Amino acid sequence: MGLKQKGRIKKGTDADVVIFDINTIKDKSDFPDVGIPDRNPEGIKYVFVNGKLVLDGGMIQDSMAGRIIRTA
């Protein structure tokens, strides 16, 4: 896919990091619509997308850190 800036945590790369509790992480979704979860998972504490905090203590932050990845 040509994602050369992904997969590493260092200056100049797109740092995507999920911090979770291994003892409490649980997917609770049933996916009633194709690909759209109906409930949030448990146990995920923080999510960083492109180095920006987008989930803080389980609360979604007002962030537009991601970008569309196009493949052809």
Side-chain angles (χ1 to χ4, degrees):
M1 291 182 70
L3 302 174
K4 293 181 169 98
Q5 297 301 329
K6 299 284 183 193
R8 294 191 173 95
I9 300 175
K10 70 177 203 176
K11 190 173 184 172
T13 63
D14 302 333
D16 297 340
V17 178
V18 177
I19 300 172
F20 61 92
D21 183 336
I22 191 73
N23 297 309
T24 62
I25 194 163
K26 180 180 179 183
D27 183 2
K28 304 183 310 177
S29 293
D30 289 327
F31 295 88
D33 296 318
V34 177
I36 302 172
D38 62 344
R39 287 178 269 166
N40 291 334
E42 292 179 357
I44 297 177
K45 306 293 183 181
Y46 304 98
V47 175
F48 294 86
V49 176
N50 291 335
K52 296 180 181 137
L53 184 63
V54 297
L55 187 78
D56 186 359
M59 301 295 295
I60 295 173
Q61 303 300 300
D62 186 22
S63 176
M64 299 291 287
R67 61 186 170 95
I68 295 173
I69 299 173
R70 298 181 193 270
T71 60

